[in-house]
Amino acid sequence: MIVPPRTRNKGSNWEKWGWVYMRASGVLLVVLIFGHLFVNLMTGDGIHQIDFAFVVGKFASPFWQWWDVLMLWLALIHGANGMRTIVNDYVTSPTVRRVLVWALWLSAGFLILLGTLVVFTFDPCIGVTESSSLWDMCQAA
Ligand code: HEM
């Protein structure tokens, strides 16, 4: 239906920005996800290098902290917004739809908060005792 110019909604168009976000975050996610997989699985000893010490090493670097946090934020918002589209397309009851969309944003927000806290406050030396293989490294730090 063609809407006459005078009655067009002049407010910000959230659906349009959601559409743009899905494409822009998709492009960035290709780089972030495949970069993540390449560095973790194709360099060094590949999958055999992945253990607690490997994660400790990566989280000691601000570059990888920001890489991982960016991937977390973009993927969770992208996934939640994509699920919101699916819910809006298939759930016919307005009440159930509202509850599900709220649940999506609440769980995405909770995971973003928790994940961001973990990445930036991660300390491998908390609770380390003399019997741990991390003892020497933590004493030197
Ligand atoms: C490799 C990176 C990714 C790319 C290039 C990408 C791209 C896209 C694009 C362009 C759309 C919009 C499709 C449409 O409107 O018809 C979309 C939808 C969606 N994406 Fe992604 N995405 C990626 C990763 C992810 C990840 C990691 C998740 C989960 C956390 C995810 C979950 C979704 C969901 C649930 C939808 C909605 C599907 C639908 O509307 O039928 N995507 N994706």
Side-chain angles (χ1 to χ4, degrees), residues 19 22-23 26-27 29-30 33-34 75-76 78-79 82-83 85-86:
W19 187 93
M22 292 309 274
R23 272 96 196 138
V27 172
L29 281 168
V30 169
I33 293 172
F34 285 100
L76 273 168
H78 178 106
M83 285 304 298
T85 306
I86 295 172

Side-chain angles (χ1 to χ4, degrees), residues 13-32:
N13 188 343
W14 285 101
E15 283 306 327
K16 182 187 83 178
W17 289 114
W19 187 93
V20 171
Y21 177 83
M22 292 309 274
R23 272 96 196 138
S25 60
V27 172
L28 288 171
L29 281 168
V30 169
V31 177
L32 290 167

